[in-house]
Amino acid sequence: MELRDFLEAATDEGLGQDEANRLLDIMMHSEHVRKNRIEYRELTEDEIRELGLVLHKFAVEFNIDETTINNLLNYKYSIITAD
C-alpha cells in the first residue's frame, strides 16, 4: 500500500521513473531515515480546519482570493508521518 501511494504521488508530481527510484532507494536503505507512513489523500476535516485558519489569514495579508485557498484545501497531498 505505501509503495503504491508513493508511486502515485511521484507520478502526480511529475517525477520521472529514475528520480522516483532514486528517492525510493534512499527511503528504503538509509540508516538515517525512519520508517514513515506515506499516504496520498485529501486532508481530513480536522486538518482543513487547522490549516484553513492559517491560510485564510495568509490570503488576507497577501490579497489572495479566498477561492484559491479553498481550492488548495481540497487538493490531494502526500502526507508523511513517522511511525
Side-chain angles (χ1 to χ4, degrees), residues 19 28 34 51 73:
E19 182 68 8
M28 300 302 282
R34 286 192 280 178
L51 289 171
L73 291 171

Side-chain angles (χ1 to χ4, degrees), residues 1-79:
M1 178 71 147
E2 290 178 4
L3 179 57
R4 186 178 63 228
D5 292 340
F6 171 79
L7 293 174
E8 183 180 336
T11 300
D12 284 353
E13 293 296 321
L15 295 180
Q17 189 66 44
D18 290 340
E19 182 68 8
N21 287 341
R22 187 183 71 76
L23 291 173
L24 185 59
D25 187 58
I26 290 169
M27 290 189 303
M28 300 302 282
H29 297 103
S30 175
E31 63 186 62
H32 302 289
V33 176
R34 286 192 280 178
K35 185 101 172 155
N36 295 316
R37 188 178 66 209
I38 303 169
E39 302 173 83
Y40 183 65
R41 62 172 173 80
E42 293 177 350
L43 301 174
T44 65
E45 288 182 23
D46 288 337
E47 291 166 337
I48 290 172
R49 191 171 23 258
E50 184 177 342
L51 289 171
L53 295 172
V54 175
L55 288 175
H56 287 291
K57 287 180 185 178
F58 181 84
V60 169
E61 183 71 26
F62 292 97
N63 198 27
I64 297 173
D65 186 343
E66 291 284 325
T67 303
T68 301
I69 300 302
N70 290 332
N71 288 339
L72 287 172
L73 291 171
N74 289 305
Y75 288 153
K76 279 184 155 182
Y77 290 94
S78 295
I79 311 295

